[in-house]
Amino acid sequence: MATLIGIPLFLFLKKIIPNDIVLGCMLILVEVYFVLANQYSYVLNLTPIGTHSCLRLLIYFYLGYLIVKYDYFLKLNKKIIGALLITSLSVFLFSNYITFLSGGCINSEETIMTVPTSFLLTIFAFKLSVRLKKPLFIRNMSTFIYCFQLYPIIVVRLILGHLGLIQLHMLIFVGILIISVIGYYIYYFIRTKTSFRFLKYMV
């Protein structure tokens, strides 16, 4: 839903703010506010507003727009992008750890390095030439996990909440991923071993 609303909103903003630099600065400020109001709220006491809305996606739509419009990013040397990605990812993990030690929580979405790390990771992925042995199987798994993840989220949060580990977001991610992958293999097994034709149209 956030994507369906966010894309038209971004296009509207691009129309009323045609200058890419001005639009980019505005969206960076919006993202900085979300980071400060969420991960660093224990210090700044800011009230997070619209954290789970389409506003969070605008900066990512903008970066995607830059990649498409300016081919400069895709012409960068893969080694340079790889080095920048490793550096950015290291700072991302380190800042998360420092925040956790100082009284905050570990969060993959609310750090100041999330956006640049995602941007570099996207460019690096474009530079790779990967050949998959079972591309259809992987694509179907991706679709299945995207649609199925809500149920593991509920289960994992209940379990970790009971164990007092709800603040460990990386553990939540790993738990959701494992359950989702197991769920897909169960679905794939049932789909291939039974005559329920409707299962083929689920992903």
Side-chain angles (χ1 to χ4, degrees):
M1 182 61 72
T3 301
L4 295 177
I5 299 175
I7 291 178
L9 177 59
F10 173 76
L11 294 175
F12 173 74
L13 290 174
K14 185 67 185 73
K15 185 173 183 179
I16 63 176
I17 309 176
N19 188 292
D20 292 339
I21 297 178
V22 175
L23 179 60
C25 290
M26 184 190 76
L27 295 181
I28 289 173
L29 290 175
V30 171
E31 180 62 20
V32 168
Y33 158 74
F34 282 125
V35 171
L36 295 179
N38 286 278
Q39 189 172 35
Y40 302 103
S41 60
Y42 69 100
V43 176
L44 303 174
N45 294 319
L46 294 175
T47 301
I49 301 174
T51 299
H52 302 291
S53 70
C54 62
L55 298 177
R56 294 306 307 270
L57 301 179
L58 294 178
I59 185 67
Y60 296 99
F61 295 146
Y62 173 75
L63 293 177
Y65 161 77
L66 291 182
I67 292 175
V68 173
K69 184 174 181 180
Y70 303 101
D71 59 354
Y72 165 79
F73 297 106
L74 297 180
K75 291 181 178 179
L76 291 173
N77 185 278
K78 186 166 66 174
K79 292 183 178 179
I80 295 177
I81 294 297
L84 290 174
L85 176 60
I86 292 174
T87 303
S88 180
L89 185 59
S90 300
V91 176
F92 167 80
L93 295 173
F94 180 74
S95 63
N96 240 321
Y97 183 65
I98 293 299
T99 301
F100 177 72
L101 290 181
S102 59
C105 65
I106 296 178
N107 195 319
S108 61
E109 299 176 357
E110 312 296 353
T111 73
I112 203 68
M113 292 303 298
T114 299
V115 170
T117 302
S118 302
F119 182 60
L120 291 170
L121 182 60
T122 300
I123 296 176
F124 186 76
F126 275 122
K127 305 288 287 186
L128 294 177
S129 179
V130 180
R131 293 184 178 182
L132 300 174
K133 293 183 178 180
K134 298 181 179 181
L136 182 60
F137 180 85
I138 300 298
R139 190 193 70 183
N140 288 343
M141 178 186 288
S142 174
T143 304
F144 178 88
I145 291 176
Y146 179 79
C147 299
F148 180 75
Q149 62 178 318
L150 175 61
Y151 307 104
I153 288 175
I154 296 173
V155 173
V156 171
R157 284 187 174 275
L158 284 174
I159 295 174
L160 294 183
H162 180 72
L163 297 175
L165 302 174
I166 194 65
Q167 295 296 330
L168 300 179
H169 290 232
M170 187 58 69
L171 190 57
I172 294 176
F173 167 75
V174 172
I176 293 171
L177 182 61
I178 291 175
I179 295 175
S180 298
V181 171
I182 292 174
Y184 176 74
Y185 273 96
I186 293 174
Y187 156 78
Y188 184 78
F189 176 81
I190 296 174
R191 192 185 77 172
T192 55
K193 300 299 181 180
T194 65
S195 58
F196 300 132
R197 297 183 61 184
F198 72 92
L199 292 175
K200 298 181 180 180
Y201 304 101
M202 292 182 62
V203 295

